[in-house]
Amino acid sequence: MKFSVSEAAQLWQRVLEKVKIRLDDRNIFDNFFDGSFIHEIKEDTIYVVVNTSLAAQLINTKYIDILHDILLETTESNFKLVLITSEDIKEAEKNILPSKQEEIFKESYINPNLNFDNFVIGAFNRSAAQAAIMIASNPGKMFNPLFIHSESGLGKTHLLHSIGNYIKTNKPGAKIICVTSDDFFNEYVKSLTSGKDTSSLRDYCRSVDAFLIDDIQFLNDKKKTQELFYYVFNDLVRSGKQIVITSDRQPNELKDIEQRLVTRFASGLTVQINEPDSESCLAILKKKIKSNNLSELTFDDASLILLADKFSKNVRELEGALNKLVYHAILKQTNHIDITIAVEAISTMVGGKFIQDEITEQKIISLVADYYNLTPFVLTGNSRNHQIVLARHVAMYLIRNTLDTPLKKIGQAFGGKDHTTVMSGISNVDKLLKNDEMMKQAISELKSRIKKE
């Protein structure tokens, strides 16, 4: 379905009119939806410009389902919706790769909002941040590769993109690839399915100045992709090009990754990001408040201390809790956030878990077992039957995403399985959710059942 500029404008106007009717609070519409417009429509994706990154976060968190429903109702087509800001467009236009190479690693993207200026440094991440700044200042000259590892949500991806942004700013014209390990795997598969060998992909990688790859652990079991990455790695190091790798564990703990790659990962500098302390959490909150053009005076110290105490193990959850607090204050139409409002805002959340529902790992296992007509005993056992394994992976995925349970603890709930087995199962569901409609339906229905518990 193609739209002209005027048709796109008319379409979005109709969508906004329906949004205005659906929303209970006119202030939300005026502050976050009004003035938005369609930037472009590419295939099945509509890119909509909103006024601020905070507006994008709020809409994505609370109203994206409403927008999808209204778009489907208005267009009778299942469009994907991506919210961006005018600054995102400007940055994207600055860093378009040459047209002859744009089909290779077209997923490569450096988020302009992730930089060293808004990365809060504390005792928990200081060594990692200092190493990142050093190699960004002198790419390929000091530590190669730089290997950053931590649990999920502690800022390693932020550092990866900060390095990319710093090099772009200070070395104009530098060519940078910033991808996930899944992107690298997909590019490898694309090379094979297009009837070509991987030489052009390898040549392209060799031509870059910095290669930044996120979540390298997901290359596990992909032997041919690992082989290609091994040669790319050697090519880049020999030519003095910078490599930065992130992972959820240190090199010698990577499972199903070739030993020759593991030794090369460990040959440069390995740094860890730990859980943040309370002081660092407060600094992160204040930085986030400032970056969203809010006043720190709006918040009582006690309200911020509460968030820092409750969400100190995961920076991503900490920032999410702040967004929920701001949203709650908007709904209450207050310009002052004290401890009472903060308690109300996060009363159902502690470390990402919903207290009032008392959802447990065992409850989710029972719900999934019932959904697939199995018993919990079979689901948590050692059967290698394909359908049982898939159901087991679904249960692991839902426990991780609903309760944010540590991988080791999830493994214990499934008969003492290794945390890498749990991670592999969760990754399998993540991949299926991209294209498998049956999996999408199963996860959606199971999430609804969990909410009703």
Side-chain angles (χ1 to χ4, degrees):
M1 184 182 297
K2 293 184 178 180
F3 295 87
S4 66
V5 174
S6 60
E7 287 172 338
Q10 292 171 8
L11 165 64
W12 193 245
Q13 187 58 42
R14 291 198 298 274
V15 169
L16 288 179
E17 288 171 358
K18 293 179 180 179
V19 169
K20 191 185 301 183
I21 294 171
R22 287 269 196 105
L23 292 180
D24 295 328
D25 191 336
R26 180 59 185 269
N27 287 327
I28 295 293
F29 180 88
D30 291 342
N31 286 305
F32 297 99
F33 288 87
D34 197 23
S36 60
F37 61 93
I38 291 178
H39 172 61
E40 63 179 343
I41 301 176
K42 284 186 178 179
E43 299 177 353
D44 64 341
T45 303
I46 297 178
Y47 294 83
V48 173
V49 176
V50 294
N51 51 18
T52 64
S53 58
L54 179 60
Q57 289 177 357
L58 178 68
I59 295 171
N60 274 320
T61 302
K62 297 293 181 183
Y63 301 106
I64 198 68
D65 289 339
I66 292 176
L67 279 177
H68 279 145
D69 290 344
I70 292 175
L71 267 177
L72 180 60
E73 173 186 324
T74 306
T75 65
E76 297 183 349
S77 297
N78 194 19
F79 281 105
K80 297 174 184 174
L81 189 63
V82 176
L83 303 178
I84 57 177
T85 66
S86 56
E87 290 302 314
D88 294 335
I89 297 171
K90 291 176 184 177
E91 287 294 330
E93 290 174 348
K94 287 180 186 176
N95 301 289
I96 297 174
L97 292 173
S99 58
K100 66 179 181 179
Q101 296 171 334
E102 63 186 8
E103 289 306 312
I104 297 180
F105 284 117
K106 63 181 180 180
E107 299 300 324
S108 177
Y109 172 71
I110 301 174
N111 188 336
N113 297 316
L114 302 179
N115 52 64
F116 289 129
D117 289 339
N118 57 29
F119 186 82
V120 178
I121 299 175
F124 73 107
N125 64 8
R126 189 176 307 281
S127 62
Q130 289 175 340
I133 293 169
M134 289 173 71
I135 70 101
S137 303
N138 299 281
K141 307 298 183 185
M142 301 187 72
F143 311 116
N144 209 8
L146 174 63
F147 191 100
I148 306 170
H149 68 97
S150 76
E151 289 286 341
S152 176
L154 293 180
K156 56 184 181 291
T157 299
H158 191 144
L159 274 183
L160 191 76
H161 286 257
S162 297
I163 291 168
N165 278 309
Y166 189 95
I167 295 174
K168 278 194 329 183
T169 301
N170 293 278
K171 295 185 179 295
K175 187 192 294 184
I176 306 166
I177 291 177
C178 184
V179 291
T180 66
S181 58
D182 278 342
D183 294 332
F184 188 84
F185 170 72
N186 292 336
E187 202 65 47
Y188 169 75
V189 172
K190 188 176 75 173
S191 294
L192 297 182
T193 55
S194 64
K196 303 175 183 177
D197 59 28
T198 59
S199 59
S200 60
L201 176 57
R202 182 175 168 183
D203 288 342
Y204 179 78
C205 293
R206 187 187 291 123
S207 71
V208 306
D209 298 292
F211 194 103
L212 318 178
I213 185 164
D214 207 6
D215 288 326
I216 198 69
Q217 71 273 7
F218 291 126
L219 283 188
N220 64 319
D221 289 330
K222 299 179 176 69
K223 299 299 183 184
K224 292 294 184 181
T225 311
Q226 289 180 36
E227 183 178 353
L228 173 62
F229 190 73
Y230 171 79
Y231 291 119
V232 167
F233 185 101
N234 288 339
D235 289 341
L236 292 170
V237 171
R238 277 195 296 263
S239 2
K241 307 299 180 61
Q242 183 65 53
I243 303 172
V244 184
I245 301 168
T246 73
S247 173
D248 67 348
R249 68 204 78 171
Q250 58 186 328
N252 61 12
E253 293 179 346
L254 290 167
K255 303 297 184 182
D256 298 316
I257 299 287
E258 287 189 21
Q259 188 60 32
R260 60 179 179 172
L261 268 178
V262 170
T263 57
R264 279 161 176 77
F265 294 164
S267 66
L269 176 65
T270 300
V271 290
Q272 180 178 6
I273 301 176
N274 299 302
E275 291 180 0
D277 52 76
S278 296
E279 183 179 346
S280 297
C281 286
L282 281 173
I284 290 168
L285 289 171
K286 291 176 180 179
K287 193 88 165 184
K288 188 75 173 176
I289 289 168
K290 184 177 180 181
S291 68
N292 283 325
N293 296 317
L294 300 172
S295 171
E296 191 178 321
L297 298 176
T298 303
F299 301 80
D300 277 358
D301 287 344
S303 66
L304 297 182
I305 291 171
L306 175 67
L307 265 61
D309 286 343
K310 294 296 184 183
F311 301 90
S312 61
K313 294 185 177 181
N314 188 300
V315 174
R316 193 177 297 137
E317 288 180 359
L318 179 68
E319 293 178 345
L322 177 62
N323 288 335
K324 184 168 184 179
L325 175 56
V326 171
Y327 171 69
H328 188 72
I330 291 171
L331 293 182
K332 292 185 73 70
Q333 297 183 356
T334 179
N335 293 320
H336 184 73
I337 299 174
D338 58 19
I339 187 67
T340 302
I341 292 175
V343 169
E344 288 177 3
I346 65 165
S347 61
T348 59
M349 296 176 64
V350 174
K353 300 178 183 179
F354 293 88
I355 297 173
Q356 63 187 21
D357 293 333
E358 294 182 346
I359 295 295
T360 65
E361 290 86 1
Q362 292 305 318
K363 267 193 178 180
I364 292 176
I365 288 171
S366 296
L367 287 169
V368 174
D370 181 67
Y371 182 85
Y372 285 100
N373 295 316
L374 303 170
T375 66
F377 177 81
V378 170
L379 188 66
T380 58
N382 295 315
S383 172
R384 302 308 300 164
N385 175 276
H386 175 73
Q387 291 302 321
I388 294 174
V389 170
L390 184 62
R392 188 178 298 140
H393 290 174
V394 168
M396 291 174 175
Y397 173 88
L398 288 168
I399 290 172
R400 179 67 168 175
N401 283 271
T402 304
L403 305 178
D404 200 30
T405 302
L407 298 176
K408 185 176 180 180
K409 187 177 179 183
I410 296 176
Q412 291 171 349
F414 286 83
K417 290 179 173 54
D418 187 88
H419 76 280
T420 57
T421 301
V422 176
M423 180 171 292
S424 178
I426 294 170
S427 175
N428 181 41
V429 175
D430 270 325
K431 291 172 185 175
L432 288 173
L433 283 172
K434 293 179 180 177
N435 300 302
D436 190 320
E437 294 301 321
M438 290 184 66
M439 179 57 72
K440 291 179 182 178
Q441 181 179 351
I443 294 298
S444 177
E445 290 180 8
L446 283 163
K447 284 183 175 179
S448 295
R449 294 187 186 188
I450 291 170
K451 287 180 180 179
K452 292 176 182 177
E453 282 296 307

